[in-house]
Amino acid sequence: MTTEVIPPASVPAPGRAVRVRGIAAGLRGLRGALIPILHAVQEELGYVDQTDIAVIADVLNLAVAEVHGVVTFYRDFRREPAGRTTVRICQAEACRSVGAEELAAHVKRRTGAGFGETTYDRRLTVDEVFCLGNCALGPAVQVSGKLHGRVTPARLDALLGEAR
Amino acid sequence: MRVFVPRDAAARSVGADEVAERIVTATAGRDVEVVRNGSRGMLWLEPLVEVETTDGRVGYGPVVPEDVDGLIAGGMLDGLGASLGLVEELPWMRRQQRLTFARVGVIDPRSGDDHTEHQGNKGLRAALAMSPADVVEAVVASGLRGRGGAGFPTGIKWRTVLGAESDQKFVCCNADEGDSGTFADRMLIEGDPFTLIEGMTIAAYAVGATEGYVYLRSEYPDAVEALDAAIRTARESGWLGPDILGSGLDFDLHVRVGAGAYICGEETSMLESLEGKRGMVRAKPPIPALEGLFGRPTVVNNVLSLATIPTILANGAAAYAAYGTGRSLGTNVFQLGGNIARGGIVETAFGITLGELVNELGGGTATRRPVRAVQVGGPLGAYLPVEQFGLPMDYEAFAAAGAMVGHGGIVVFDETVDMAAMARFAFAFCAEESCGKCTPCRVGAVRGVETIDRIRRGEDRRQNLVLLDDLCDLMTDGSLCAMGGLTPLPVRSAVRHFGKDFGLYDAPQGT
Ligand SMILES: Cc1cc2nc3c(=O)[nH]c(=O)nc-3n(C[C@H](O)[C@H](O)[C@H](O)COP(=O)(O)O)c2cc1C
Ligand code: SF4
Ligand code: FES
C-alpha cells in the first residue's frame, strides 16, 4: 500500500456529458425524475460531477441551483469518486449499544480514514450510516453494498482484506 | 421435498447465502428444492434452516456452512438430528399473534402462486365486492392506527381522501424506516411484498386513486430488489395495471429509492423528495390527504399500516379490533434490537408489557449484564429505565408516561451505557438530519450538543442543565415538525431517569 502513486484528481472523461444527457433524457418522463436520474448517473459513472449538474438541469428544464441544491441535500450523492471499496459503519443507537463506536475507531486506526474519507491509495472509502435495518444483529456494516451483522473488529479486518 | 433458507437481509448478513449454497451442493441429484423464504423474525437463530416434514416445518439454527454436511448426515432432510423442533411450536412463535406478518418467513416471497395459496388477494377481492365508502368504514371500524409513528387512525385519513374532489389521487407508501431499532418494514417487504401491494391496491380502490408510489430507502437494496420483482409478477398476474382482477379498477405502482436523508421519512418531506426536490418539510395545513403529491389528494401510510389492510378486509374489522387494549386496537409488530439476547420481530396484540418483551421474549441483554435503559420508538423516542418495565405497549399509556410507541422499535442497553453520551447523540443526530427549514431545530440541536458537552465536562453544571431545559422547551414548542419537536424527548428522559450520568448525584433512579 505504501508504494502506490497517488492518482491525480479526477477529470470527467470526454463523452461524459453525452452519457449524462442520455441517462437524463431516458428517465425524464418519470414523475419527480431528478432523484432517479442522479441515482442512475452515480450508479453508472461513480459520482455526480459538477459538470453533470448543468446537463441534467438543461434536460429537465430546471435551474442549475435547484439541481445543485438536491445533489447536496442527500447524503447518498457523491461529488467525487469513491475508493474501490466503500465500507459504511452503522452509528445509530442499536448498533452503539453493542460497540459501533469502537468499530469506527478501529477502522480509523487501521486505515487512517475517518468518516467521509478515502484512503490515500483510493482503495477504501469509509463512511457512517444511521441504521441498516439490522439492529438485532449489530454492529452492522455494509461493504460494497453487502450487509454484514455482528461485526467484530477482527471480522471487519477480514472483510476488508477480502475486498482489497 | 422443500428446504427453506431465508433470503432476508439480516439472515444473509450472518451467512444465509453460503448456507443455502452448501445445501444445494450437498443435495445435488436428490429431489430437494431450496426455497429462499423471508425470516421468521427469530434473528438470533439466523440462518434458520427449515425442512418440510409431514408433521410441519422442523427448524435448525443458527446454521453455519460448515454444519451443513453433518446435519444432512444426521438426518436433517427427514427432520431428524440436532433440530429445534417444529418452528411453529417454538415458545417465541407461540407467544405471538401474527396477522400482518402471518406469511412472512412462511412463503416464498417471489412466488405469486404461494401468495394465492396462502389466502393472497382474499382481502382485495372482499374489498372489490364492497363500495369504496364501505371499505373506508371497515378500516375505521377496525381501529387501525398508523404504524409509522404518529398513530393517526388510518380509516379517518382515507375518509378525507375519498371525500376530496380531484382529477387524480395518489397512494404513497412510506418505506423510509430510518429509525434505529426498526426493521419490520424491511422484513415485510422482503418476506411478503405481495401483501403490501394488495394493501395499497385496496387503498387505491377505497379512495379513488390510480397511481401509487413506494418511497423505499436506499439503505435497503435487498428490499428494493424484492419489491421490484413482486411488482413485475403482480402486473403479469393482473393484480396491478388496468382492470385489476376483472373489477374495472386501474392502479399501478412504482418504487422510488430515497437518497440517505432521515427527514424524508416525515410525510411532507417524503412528498417533496418524490417530486424530485430537497426533502424540506412543508407546513401543514394543507394536509397531504387534501394536497399531497403534486398537489393532489394523497394517502400517505406506513408499510405496516398498508400491509395490515388485507387481513382486516379478509377477516372483518371486528376480528381485528378484537385484539388490543383501550384505543390501541389490533396487533403491533414490535422490534427487539440493540444489546439483546434474542432480538427480532414480535407481533402481538397491544397491551403486552415492555418488560415481557425485553426480558421474557428478548431474554435480557446479549452481554448478560443487567439491562439499564431501553429506547422505545426510534431516535425521537424516550429512554426508559427498568423501573418502567410494567408499562403496557399502548399509545395512550406511553404518552401518559412521557414516552412514545412510535414504530414499535425497542433498543436495549446494558449497564455500561453512558446516558449523557446518548443524549448528546440525540442532539447530534438531529443536527445532522435536520432539514434546516426552522431555527429551533437547525440551530437548537447544535446548541444542544454544546450544552451537553459542557455538562459532561462539569462546567457550570446546574446552570447548563437549566439552559438545556430551556432549549428543550424552545425546540418542543417552536419546531415545525416532530424532528425538532421530539428530539427533547430522548434528552429529557435521559436526564430525568439517569441523572447520575449528568452529574446529578441526588438523582432518583435508574442508576
Ligand atoms: C422525522 C420524522 C421521520 C419519520 N419517519 C417515518 C418513516 O420512516 N416511516 C413512516 O412510515 N413514518 C415516518 N414518520 C411519520 C410520517 O410523517 C407519517 O406520520 C406516516 O408515514 C403516516 O403513515 P401512518 O399513518 O400509516 O403511520 C416520520 C415522521 C417524522 C417527523
Ligand atoms: S423541525 Fe427540523 S426537520 Fe422539522 S421542519 Fe424544522 S428544521 Fe426541518
Ligand atoms: S441501528 Fe445499526 S442497523 Fe439499525
Side-chain angles (χ1 to χ4, degrees):
Chain A
M1 148 192 250
T2 44
T3 56
E4 259 174 56
V5 175
I6 301 170
S10 79
V11 176
R16 181 175 178 118
V18 175
R19 191 59 210 127
V20 171
R21 186 172 293 274
I23 293 170
L27 295 172
R28 69 187 291 179
L30 297 179
R31 285 189 194 277
L34 179 52
I35 292 170
I37 289 171
L38 292 170
H39 272 307
V41 167
Q42 179 153 308
E43 167 91 19
E44 191 179 316
L45 302 170
Y47 69 107
V48 180
D49 193 82
Q50 191 62 29
T51 58
D52 303 342
I53 290 177
V55 178
I56 297 168
D58 185 47
V59 174
L60 294 184
N61 202 15
L62 292 170
V64 170
E66 193 165 339
V67 177
H68 179 87
V70 170
V71 174
T72 51
F73 183 84
Y74 295 97
R75 190 198 304 271
D76 280 2
F77 300 128
R78 275 193 302 274
R79 314 292 310 285
E80 55 189 47
R84 215 174 312 149
T85 302
T86 297
V87 55
R88 304 206 291 170
I89 305 172
C90 178
Q91 293 294 297
E93 289 89 341
C95 287
R96 277 176 183 256
S97 77
V98 284
E101 291 160 280
E102 291 84 335
L103 208 53
H106 174 78
V107 168
K108 170 117 200 191
R109 257 196 320 274
R110 271 307 171 88
T111 67
F115 292 141
E117 293 173 0
T118 298
T119 52
Y120 77 96
D121 59 5
R122 305 209 67 81
R123 279 182 173 173
L124 186 69
T125 297
V126 180
D127 214 344
E128 64 182 334
V129 59
F130 296 109
C131 195
L132 294 163
N134 203 19
C135 327
L137 295 175
V141 166
Q142 220 179 30
V143 182
S144 295
K146 186 173 179 346
L147 182 62
H148 299 274
R150 288 198 178 126
V151 181
T152 57
R155 177 100 190 93
L156 190 55
D157 285 343
L159 287 171
L160 296 181
E162 285 163 27
R164 275 168 175 235
Chain B
M1 65 150 313
R2 299 200 293 171
V3 177
F4 297 82
V5 186
R7 196 202 295 273
D8 178 273
R12 294 183 65 209
S13 84
V14 287
D17 286 350
E18 292 76 8
V19 169
E21 272 166 38
R22 194 73 164 239
I23 293 174
V24 169
T25 314
T27 59
R30 283 201 253 180
D31 182 25
V32 172
E33 186 197 350
V34 176
V35 177
R36 303 302 303 273
N37 56 332
S39 171
R40 295 275 194 161
M42 295 175 283
L43 292 170
W44 78 99
L45 288 179
E46 295 292 1
L48 172 67
V49 175
E50 293 177 49
V51 176
E52 207 163 53
T53 73
T54 45
D55 297 331
R57 280 156 67 162
V58 176
Y60 300 80
V63 176
V64 296
E66 298 73 50
D67 293 345
V68 168
D69 295 343
L71 282 168
I72 291 178
M76 180 177 89
L77 297 176
D78 299 311
L80 305 172
S83 83
L84 302 164
L86 292 174
V87 173
E88 298 283 356
E89 299 296 322
L90 293 175
W92 169 278
M93 293 297 292
R94 288 182 63 98
R95 189 76 190 265
Q96 303 188 40
Q97 288 120 3
R98 292 205 167 182
L99 303 178
T100 309
F101 262 58
R103 283 178 292 233
V104 176
V106 176
I107 59 160
D108 174 356
R110 306 269 159 138
S111 163
D113 291 342
D114 234 8
H115 182 64
T116 309
E117 274 163 34
H118 287 84
Q119 315 275 306
N121 288 336
K122 194 174 161 198
L124 176 58
R125 286 179 204 277
L128 292 171
M130 297 159 71
S131 74
D134 285 347
V135 175
V136 170
E137 292 320 310
V139 176
V140 174
S142 74
L144 178 68
R145 291 165 72 175
R147 299 293 187 240
F152 187 81
T154 303
I156 307 287
K157 193 184 280 186
W158 289 18
R159 204 188 264 161
T160 309
V161 181
L162 174 64
E165 290 287 334
S166 176
D167 57 339
Q168 179 153 35
K169 296 177 187 175
F170 296 102
V171 176
C172 290
C173 171
N174 189 340
D176 202 52
E177 195 166 61
D179 284 1
S180 166
T182 61
F183 42 87
D185 294 355
R186 180 187 64 67
M187 287 184 63
L188 188 284
I189 291 173
E190 290 183 24
D192 187 14
F194 291 113
T195 294
L196 174 61
I197 295 171
E198 187 181 339
M200 290 185 73
T201 309
I202 296 170
Y205 175 72
V207 304
T210 51
E211 221 176 290
Y213 289 87
V214 179
Y215 189 84
L216 185 47
R217 62 200 301 255
S218 61
E219 290 84 348
Y220 287 178
D222 296 52
V224 174
E225 196 201 337
L227 188 57
D228 277 338
I231 288 175
R232 274 196 303 277
T233 302
R235 284 192 191 126
E236 286 159 14
S237 312
W239 304 342
L240 281 177
D243 194 21
I244 290 170
L245 297 174
S247 66
L249 171 68
D250 299 341
F251 177 65
D252 206 359
L253 191 57
H254 310 277
V255 177
R256 283 289 188 277
V257 178
Y262 176 78
I263 192 58
C264 289
E266 196 281 333
E267 57 183 359
T268 62
S269 168
M270 180 190 81
L271 293 170
E272 291 285 302
S273 187
L274 280 170
E275 291 180 7
K277 303 177 193 151
R278 299 162 62 106
M280 303 290 281
V281 173
R282 298 176 185 169
K284 291 191 266 193
I287 54 171
L290 295 173
E291 285 182 41
L293 190 62
F294 297 103
R296 304 303 205 293
T298 302
V299 167
V300 179
N301 275 136
N302 171 255
V303 174
L304 298 183
S305 315
L306 289 162
T308 302
I309 295 292
T311 177
I312 291 172
L313 272 294
N315 302 323
Y320 190 74
Y323 293 93
T325 172
R327 288 173 47 218
S328 302
L329 296 182
T331 58
N332 198 16
V333 185
F334 299 104
Q335 298 132 84
L336 303 179
N339 188 342
I340 189 152
R342 296 194 295 266
I345 291 286
V346 179
E347 180 175 354
T348 171
F350 283 100
I352 189 171
T353 66
L354 186 56
E356 285 174 289
L357 284 169
V358 173
N359 288 328
E360 292 174 27
L361 280 139
T365 66
T367 45
R368 315 312 314 164
R369 293 168 184 273
V371 175
R372 179 151 187 250
V374 295
Q375 187 177 30
V376 184
L380 309 177
Y383 285 100
L384 298 169
V386 289
E387 285 76 10
Q388 287 191 321
F389 271 18
L391 261 184
M393 301 304 299
D394 160 340
Y395 292 109
E396 277 67 40
F398 262 64
M404 68 175 202
V405 173
H407 188 1
I410 298 169
V411 175
V412 178
F413 296 81
D414 74 10
E415 62 187 1
T416 60
V417 67
D418 173 352
M419 292 307 298
M422 296 315 296
R424 181 189 197 276
F425 177 74
F427 276 131
F429 182 74
C430 181
E432 177 72 26
E433 300 293 342
S434 166
C435 85
K437 186 156 177 161
C438 61
T439 318
C441 168
R442 186 185 63 238
V443 179
V446 178
R447 295 288 168 265
V449 171
E450 294 164 1
T451 309
I452 292 203
D453 281 344
R454 283 196 290 272
I455 292 168
R456 292 180 78 197
R457 284 198 301 265
E459 283 170 35
D460 303 328
R461 203 167 250 153
R462 291 274 162 189
Q463 269 165 288
N464 276 306
L465 278 162
V466 173
L467 186 66
L468 184 71
D469 214 37
D470 251 14
L471 183 64
C472 285
D473 275 341
L474 177 86
M475 287 178 71
T476 306
D477 299 339
S479 297
L480 183 57
C481 86
M483 177 88 218
L486 287 179
T487 293
L489 198 57
V491 174
R492 280 186 147 146
S493 58
V495 178
R496 183 182 325 130
H497 300 300
F498 307 95
K500 186 165 159 268
D501 295 11
F502 296 80
L504 293 170
Y505 292 102
D506 49 338
Q509 69 223 139
T511 52

